[in-house]
Amino acid sequence: MDTRQLARFLRVRRAALSPADVGLVVAGRRRTPGLRREEVAGLAGISTDYYTRLEQERATATPSESVLRAVTRALRLSLDERDHLYRLCGLNVPDRRRGDRHVAPALLAVLDRLHDVPAQVMTDLGDTLAQNHLARAVFGDLTGRTGPEASVIYRWFTDPGARGGFPVADHAGESRALVADLRAAVARRDDDPARALVDQLRAGSPEFAGLWELHDVAVMRCRRKRILHPEVGLLELDCQSLVDEDRTQVLALFSAVAGTATAERLTLLGLTSRPRP
């Protein structure tokens, strides 16, 4: 691990960010530009003392990959910057085509600014990479899953409990929409993770296998989604998707029509679920 270059790199990247860049609201002016160390640590979910040791060349052990992933997101690093960070720490760079969980900085920048609309960044294979607090309130925290279970598509077809939050009348339509979107993603990617997900689903779900043979292809862009929330009841949401430049990640936005019961219920969820400062 190159502790000196690592420390300098972290300091420079931290100084390049403003609180607004990461969705933080700060009153008054600051004497120095950039984020504070405690803000980066908070965004990364690590201790301020540990992050400070990294910046002051006092780290005695190589950071874990989970820490580096968290710091990458906190500092809004690009893929090239993320790879550089791994190399400075003496670690192998993650394979971009095999389960890479790096979040596109442009999508994170938008996510940071969304507070009254549920939003989450997902891969085109259904893995949830990042959520705002309102998305976690609506869907639960979906970011900690690994393996095939990380994909909402895999869970939909293999875990009966995954459908419990959706009206039964919507199940068939949701199944077809997920399969049609996945077929488009597989053809676009043509890589091992995509093919492996399809193989696992065909082996584990007769329903999926049957739908896959229909060869429906339709990228999900805008649709109505109904959620049976255990606390506030039925939510009728309009889902729209923003895609990153290589179309492997999407920012899914779930909005409600103003003045409806769903809008009122989202407001209630926002008030009861907002993290304390």
Side-chain angles (χ1 to χ4, degrees), residues 8-237:
R8 291 179 178 177
F9 178 68
L10 293 176
R11 291 197 298 267
V12 168
R13 298 315 310 154
R14 176 170 60 83
L17 289 173
S18 70
D21 290 333
V22 296
L24 296 178
V25 178
V26 178
R29 299 181 62 182
R30 295 191 172 193
R31 295 180 180 178
T32 57
L35 297 179
R36 293 171 177 164
R37 287 172 179 153
E38 59 267 25
E39 290 170 338
V40 174
L43 290 168
I46 59 179
S47 73
T48 301
D49 177 69
Y50 179 72
Y51 181 77
T52 299
R53 284 189 278 121
L54 290 174
E55 279 203 5
Q56 293 182 344
E57 304 177 33
R58 296 189 291 113
T60 57
T62 301
S64 67
E65 291 194 32
S66 62
V67 167
L68 293 186
R69 284 196 299 269
V71 171
T72 293
R73 294 186 186 182
L75 293 177
R76 304 306 188 250
L77 300 183
S78 68
L79 272 172
D80 291 337
E81 291 167 338
R82 186 280 309 271
D83 291 352
H84 182 63
L85 175 64
Y86 271 69
R87 292 187 180 103
L88 290 178
C89 293
L91 296 176
N92 292 327
V93 172
D95 187 338
R96 298 187 184 189
R97 297 180 64 86
R98 292 179 179 272
D100 191 354
R101 299 185 66 80
H102 177 268
V103 183
L107 297 185
L108 269 182
V110 178
L111 183 66
D112 289 333
R113 289 163 172 76
L114 296 173
H115 303 291
D116 58 353
V117 174
Q120 52 195 25
V121 178
M122 307 178 68
T123 73
D124 56 351
L125 299 183
D127 294 13
T128 304
L129 303 178
Q131 298 174 284
N132 66 4
H133 83 279
L134 199 47
R136 288 191 294 272
V138 172
F139 301 105
D141 190 346
L142 305 177
T143 59
R145 301 172 186 266
T146 59
E149 289 80 10
S151 170
V152 65
I153 306 169
Y154 183 86
R155 296 196 305 274
W156 179 266
F157 287 101
T158 63
D159 178 6
R163 304 189 183 195
F166 299 83
V168 174
D170 297 351
H171 288 186
E174 184 73 7
S175 294
R176 292 196 68 154
L178 289 173
V179 174
D181 185 72
L182 179 60
R183 183 173 283 282
V186 171
R188 187 169 58 243
R189 279 172 166 256
D190 190 29
D191 59 12
D192 290 341
R195 290 190 291 269
L197 178 60
V198 171
D199 290 343
Q200 290 164 332
L201 281 166
R202 294 180 70 183
S205 169
E207 179 190 10
F208 177 88
L211 291 173
W212 188 254
E213 293 306 314
L214 296 178
H215 287 265
D216 289 343
V217 182
V219 176
M220 283 191 282
R221 296 184 177 90
C222 181
R223 62 183 181 134
R224 174 62 62 92
K225 198 176 187 73
R226 299 198 301 167
I227 307 294
L228 294 173
H229 194 275
E231 296 177 14
V232 298
L234 181 66
L235 299 173
E236 296 184 286
L237 303 168

